Amino acid sequence: PIVLAVGDTTYLDYKKILEKRDDYGPTGNGGNGLILHTSLALDPDFGQPLGLLWEKLWHRQHKPSPPPGETSTSKKKRLKKERLIAKNRAFKEKESYRWVEAFQKVNKLFKGLEMPDGGLLTRVIHVFDREGDIAEVFALQRKNKNTGVVVRAAHNRCLSEENSYLWEYVTSQEVQFIKEVELPETKKRKERTATLEIRYCPVSINPPSRLKKSGNFNVYALFATEINVPDGCEPVTWMLLTSELVTTQAEASQILRWYTYRWRIEEYHKILKSGCKAENYRLAGESMSTMLG
């Protein structure tokens, strides 16, 4: 059996409430609150939620106020230094590590179902959006038996094929078939049916220098681009990377379907906020973590 472990991050924004600064932090655009990363189990055939697998709740640190009378030159130097410090932080200390952590925590949940050879009785397929396009995710997947990933690509990675790059190489492949996909309503678009041209092929991704000992990541790429786009609508363009076999129309359609199920976790977060009113409780970080389970 297969279980989809769909991951996503959302913000619990308490606007400009400052009386609990020790437990809240900046969330962007002047917001103030907590950050929640969730891994939700879904049925692979119909995308029905099966249960909550793992959640992590944390907050960012408030940055100190700039020195009084700071000049524009001094500000540039200070910001440059801050960016350098952030860049050189250990990977485990970065927010992006949450995707690797989610992968590890979810797999640990299924360890009790291991087969004698170390594989999992249930195959867990992790489905991530662009934030989860991290080389460490592919390296980790390769080390874990009976697990897989479907990730929307965020980076135009270098391939081993004649020094080509992901987007240029995959988009140069022939269209294999055309498929209609239902797009749910979001803040930026209305619900509609999108007609997609589908291309797919195997690719060998060169690892970043920090993982050069890992060797190339041999995965399949699936590129879906919308045609006959309605007036005023932004066309859908998805570059998906997966550890799963994609050699037929049926296999490609399955990967595409699994990726569309990722919206279920956005619906879950919406229910937390609008239905359960999670942002109305204004609890401290530890208390909110207890409430969310």
Side-chain angles (χ1 to χ4, degrees):
I2 292 176
V3 170
L4 302 182
V6 183
D8 197 23
T9 304
T10 192
Y11 297 98
L12 301 177
D13 193 356
Y14 303 114
K15 307 303 179 185
K16 296 184 179 180
I17 300 172
L18 301 179
E19 57 266 28
K20 293 182 179 178
R21 289 182 65 96
D22 291 340
D23 294 300
Y24 296 165
T27 58
N29 297 322
N32 184 56
L34 303 167
I35 306 173
L36 176 68
H37 187 82
T38 305
S39 184
L40 189 68
L42 300 179
D43 159 65
D45 296 321
F46 303 102
Q48 293 297 321
L50 301 176
L52 192 62
L53 292 171
W54 181 73
E55 282 190 325
K56 180 178 182 179
L57 193 69
W58 75 97
H59 67 87
R60 293 170 178 158
Q61 297 298 321
H62 286 275
K63 294 182 179 180
S65 301
E70 182 181 45
T71 65
S72 58
T73 302
S74 298
K75 181 179 180 180
K76 288 181 180 179
K77 290 182 178 179
R78 176 174 59 83
L79 294 178
K80 183 178 180 180
K81 182 179 179 180
E82 289 177 358
R83 287 193 294 268
L84 183 62
I85 292 173
K87 181 180 179 181
N88 292 331
R89 282 205 312 266
F91 178 54
K92 286 188 176 182
E93 297 176 2
K94 296 182 178 181
E95 282 191 1
S96 55
Y97 180 70
R98 67 188 184 274
W99 298 96
V100 171
E101 189 176 6
F103 191 108
Q104 293 172 326
K105 295 291 186 181
V106 169
N107 279 15
K108 188 176 181 179
L109 289 176
F110 288 88
K111 275 228 169 191
L113 302 176
E114 280 190 352
M115 295 185 290
D117 64 355
L120 298 178
L121 286 172
T122 299
R123 183 166 177 78
V124 181
I125 307 295
H126 298 265
V127 183
F128 297 154
D129 205 4
R130 284 175 289 191
E131 286 186 273
D133 181 16
I134 302 169
E136 282 81 359
V137 168
F138 295 102
L140 190 60
Q141 181 275 325
R142 193 161 55 186
K143 295 178 181 178
N144 286 265
K145 293 184 178 180
N146 221 18
T147 63
V149 293
V150 176
V151 181
R152 184 177 175 187
H155 309 291
N156 192 19
R157 298 188 182 277
C158 183
L159 307 180
S160 62
E161 288 87 353
E162 299 179 356
N163 295 320
S164 57
Y165 286 84
L166 179 64
W167 253 262
E168 290 78 0
Y169 182 75
V170 180
T171 56
S172 69
Q173 306 298 311
E174 292 184 3
V175 174
Q176 298 296 322
F177 64 97
I178 294 175
K179 185 174 181 61
E180 290 188 344
V181 171
E182 299 300 322
L183 302 178
E185 182 177 359
T186 67
K187 293 180 180 179
K188 296 183 179 180
R189 69 163 182 250
K190 294 182 179 179
E191 180 181 357
R192 76 171 193 273
T193 301
T195 303
L196 306 177
E197 287 184 339
I198 309 299
R199 297 171 171 85
Y200 56 83
C201 61
V203 294
S204 183
I205 299 175
N206 293 337
S209 57
R210 66 182 183 274
L211 296 176
K212 59 183 178 181
K213 294 182 180 180
S214 298
N216 283 18
F217 303 123
N218 297 314
V219 296
Y220 283 85
L222 185 155
F223 183 69
T225 182
E226 187 175 6
I227 58 175
N228 304 324
V229 184
D231 292 340
C233 294
E234 184 177 348
V236 168
T237 302
W238 297 331
M239 178 72 77
L240 306 181
L241 299 175
T242 180
S243 57
E244 305 307 287
L245 196 66
V246 184
T247 58
T248 67
Q249 179 174 335
E251 291 169 345
S253 296
Q254 176 176 259
I255 295 301
L256 194 63
R257 185 178 75 249
W258 286 351
Y259 178 72
T260 63
Y261 290 163
R262 199 197 64 79
W263 296 319
R264 299 289 195 274
I265 198 166
E266 294 183 2
E267 294 170 355
Y268 169 74
H269 285 154
K270 183 177 180 180
I271 290 170
L272 274 183
K273 296 177 182 181
S274 60
C276 300
K277 306 294 183 183
E279 291 174 315
N280 289 2
Y281 288 97
R282 301 179 181 180
L283 299 174
E286 186 175 345
S287 299
M288 181 61 76
S289 182
T290 301
M291 189 197 79
L292 293 174

